[in-house]
Amino acid sequence: MKALLVREHGPIESLALSEHPDPLPNAGEVLVEVRAASINFPDLLVIGGTYQNLPQRPFSPGKDLAGVVVAVGGGVTACKPGDRVCAQVEHGAYAEKCV
């Protein structure tokens, strides 16, 4: 899948569009095909490396998304593939798919 990745923290222009392996949902998680993602102040802080919680690089930033469920992990009963959803995640929304 394609994803915008932070390889080194810096301005938003430092994001790189790259191929990245599809994530897989674990138990209790869903895999969403991202159709829309917002950009907000916390995202800019994460990209710039000044947010209080920073994932290990490289990573795809993005905290808000909307899309369609494409797979579910074990124990998920609240939604199923094909359901439209919106979500807030710690990071990962700037990709074609996100758990």
Side-chain angles (χ1 to χ4, degrees):
M1 72 169 179
K2 290 186 173 106
L4 284 173
L5 296 181
V6 171
R7 295 188 187 281
E8 295 296 328
H9 294 289
I12 194 166
E13 294 83 11
S14 67
L15 293 175
L17 184 61
S18 302
E19 284 294 323
H20 198 65
D22 284 3
L24 298 173
N26 292 316
E29 295 179 334
V30 298
L31 178 63
V32 177
E33 180 182 281
V34 177
R35 301 281 177 90
S38 70
I39 186 162
N40 54 55
F41 188 62
D43 293 317
L44 296 176
L45 295 175
V46 170
I47 294 165
T50 58
Y51 195 66
Q52 61 264 30
N53 297 319
L54 296 172
Q56 185 175 352
R57 294 170 298 186
F59 69 94
S60 178
K63 295 185 177 294
D64 302 319
L65 66 94
V68 177
V69 174
V70 293
V72 298
V76 174
T77 59
C79 57
K80 64 189 178 311
D83 285 352
R84 296 185 309 171
V85 296
C86 62
Q88 288 189 317
V89 294
E90 195 58 40
H91 57 85
Y94 296 170
E96 291 180 318
K97 295 178 183 168
C98 180
V99 290

